[in-house]
Amino acid sequence: MSLPPAASVESSLEIPEGTIAISYSLNIQDIIKSVQDDSAGATAVFIGTTRNSFKGKSVTRLEYQAYTKLALKTIADIIRNAASAVTRSEHQPPAQNDSTYVASLVRCAVHHRIGTVPVGEPSIVIAVSSPHRKESFIACEKILEDVKQKAQIWKREFYEGEDESTAQWKENY
């Protein structure tokens, strides 16, 4: 009797707007290079790392699992939405206090780790290139928040001095 494939597997997806990957390791420089383009005047990058404490407890590591096939599709939709969220013509700059504005993006990359992520190592890298810096920053943050809310990725936090068998899977907030 063969076992069904594990849901938490390495895989990637290429879409016109960029790339999505779920893997056991992240190459930050390659991810940044994947969004570079001569038409982009800005590249914003977010690197989420495992911190050593949470709510007063010492974190020893995180573990991530994903329903990879569905998570890739969900993140692709998030990128498509960010790339199409044009609220003004590209020739009209956003108002200084308009946090909803996202101009057309050149390329996006979202790479998330699965498996064990020790303290100090990255668990997610988001890179966004666009014609102007503000759009890159806004899009990068929006993509991060949407991935945390919607992607089928779960984490477990392990704390110093606590029985590892009590660690529970949580949504990736």
Side-chain angles (χ1 to χ4, degrees), residues 5-170:
S8 203
V9 296
E10 286 188 304
S11 190
S12 63
L13 179 62
E14 186 78 29
I15 60 173
E17 298 83 0
T19 61
I20 304 103
I22 295 177
S23 62
Y24 288 99
S25 64
L26 302 175
N27 184 319
I28 295 168
Q29 292 308 313
D30 286 348
I31 296 166
I32 294 169
K33 285 179 189 174
S34 77
V35 301
Q36 292 177 332
D37 187 278
D38 288 345
S39 68
T43 301
V45 180
F46 174 79
I47 304 168
T49 58
T50 301
R51 62 180 174 265
N52 66 359
S53 65
F54 182 71
K55 294 186 178 181
K57 298 180 181 182
S58 293
V59 175
T60 59
R61 70 182 187 281
L62 297 179
E63 257 181 43
Y64 288 91
Q65 283 190 358
Y67 181 177
T68 301
K69 189 173 183 178
L70 188 55
L72 290 173
K73 288 179 182 180
T74 300
I75 296 170
D77 288 342
I78 290 167
I79 289 174
R80 283 186 198 102
N81 288 339
S84 67
V86 179
T87 59
R88 289 188 180 76
S89 98
E90 290 181 18
H91 302 293
Q92 182 181 0
Q96 286 287 43
N97 61 353
D98 185 355
S99 64
T100 64
Y101 177 83
V102 179
S104 60
L105 305 178
V106 176
R107 298 249 329 137
C108 300
V110 177
H111 293 237
H112 203 297
R113 257 175 95 172
I114 52 175
T116 300
V117 182
V119 169
E121 290 191 17
S123 56
I124 187 170
V125 177
I126 300 170
V128 177
S129 61
S130 69
H132 306 285
R133 69 181 175 271
K134 183 168 184 152
E135 295 85 17
S136 287
F137 284 126
I138 291 169
C140 198
E141 183 175 22
K142 174 145 183 47
I143 290 168
L144 171 66
E145 295 305 325
D146 286 352
V147 167
K148 289 174 68 172
Q149 266 190 333
K150 299 174 183 176
Q152 295 76 13
I153 300 171
W154 301 271
K155 72 177 176 183
R156 252 188 336 182
E157 295 173 326
F158 292 88
Y159 304 107
E160 190 174 282
E162 289 191 10
D163 183 358
E164 291 190 359
S165 66
T166 63
Q168 296 180 3
W169 289 104
K170 304 174 184 177

